[in-house]
Amino acid sequence: MSNPNIEQLTAAQKANAEVMMALVRTAFNGVERLTALNLAASRELFNNTVAGTQQLMAAKDASEVAKLNSELAKPGVDKWMDYSRNVYDLVTEMQKEVTSVMEAQYSTFSKNASSAVAKAKTSAPVGGEVFAATMQSMLDASTKAFGSMTGMAKQLADIAEANMQVAAKTTAKTTSATSAAAKKTAAK
C-alpha cells in the first residue's frame, strides 16, 4: 500500500522539475537568439564602418566629408533602432513564454490546492472547518496577488512598447534635423 502524501509529493516534484526545464529551455533559447542578433549586428557594424571609412578616405575636400558624414549617419541610426526593436521583441517574447509557463503552473497549483482544501473540509475532524476556511482564504489571496502581478507585467510591457514607439519617432526627427544641418554645412 502506498502513501498518498508520498505520491502527491512525487507528482509535485515532477511537475516542478518540468516547469524548471521549460524555463531553462526558454532562457537558453533566448540567450542563443540574443547572441545571434548581437553577432549579426556586430558584423554589420564592422562592415559599415570599413565601407564608411573607405568612402571618407576617398573624399577630396571638407564639403564632401561633411556630406558623407550626414549620409553615413542616417543608416547607422536606423540600424540602431532596428537592433533595439529586435532586442525589445526578443525580450517581450521571452517574457510572454515565461509568463505562460508560470500561469500554467499556477493554474495547476491552484486546482490542486482547491482540491486539497475540499478534501480537508470533508474529512476534517471537529474544528477542521476553520483550518479549511483559512487555507481557502490564503488560496484566494494568492490568486488575487498572482492576477495583480500578471496585470502589472502586462502594463509594464505596454509602457515599454509605447516608449519604443516614442524613441523611434524622436530618432527619426533627430536624424532628419541632423541631415538637414549637415546639408546646410556642406552647401557652404
Side-chain angles (χ1 to χ4, degrees):
M1 178 174 207
S2 65
N3 186 342
N5 291 333
I6 298 293
E7 289 174 4
Q8 289 175 344
L9 181 61
T10 301
Q13 287 176 333
K14 182 180 177 189
N16 287 337
E18 289 172 3
V19 168
M20 289 304 298
M21 291 306 294
L23 292 173
V24 168
R25 195 173 298 115
T26 298
F28 274 121
N29 288 341
V31 168
E32 181 179 30
R33 290 173 51 204
L34 183 60
T35 301
L37 180 66
N38 285 337
L39 186 60
S42 297
R43 182 178 295 123
E44 186 171 350
L45 175 65
F46 174 75
N47 290 337
N48 289 343
T49 301
V50 169
T53 301
Q54 289 173 341
Q55 288 177 346
L56 288 171
M57 289 173 51
K60 305 224 186 311
D61 59 19
S63 65
E64 190 176 351
V65 169
K67 180 182 174 191
L68 282 171
N69 273 335
S70 69
E71 290 173 3
L72 293 173
K74 180 162 181 10
V77 172
D78 291 341
K79 296 293 182 186
W80 174 250
M81 285 306 299
D82 287 343
Y83 170 80
S84 297
R85 178 53 130 171
N86 287 333
V87 169
Y88 169 78
D89 289 344
L90 177 84
V91 169
T92 300
E93 185 178 324
M94 286 183 58
Q95 183 263 336
K96 285 179 183 176
E97 289 177 29
V98 167
T99 300
S100 174
V101 168
M102 296 305 289
E103 284 175 347
Q105 176 65 12
Y106 187 78
S107 175
T108 301
F109 163 76
S110 181
K111 287 176 189 174
N112 290 344
S114 292
S115 174
V117 168
K119 284 181 186 177
K121 280 183 182 178
T122 60
S123 64
V126 175
E129 302 86 26
V130 173
F131 176 75
T134 302
M135 294 305 293
Q136 186 64 48
S137 177
M138 289 173 53
L139 181 61
D140 292 344
S142 71
T143 300
K144 286 179 186 176
F146 185 78
S148 294
M149 287 189 312
T150 303
M152 192 182 332
K154 183 176 179 348
Q155 286 176 345
L156 290 173
D158 291 345
I159 289 169
E161 175 70 25
N163 287 343
M164 282 297 293
Q165 290 175 358
V166 168
K169 289 177 186 176
T170 302
T171 301
K173 288 178 185 177
T174 302
T175 302
S176 297
T178 303
S179 295
K183 287 179 185 176
K184 285 181 183 178
T185 303
K188 291 182 180 181

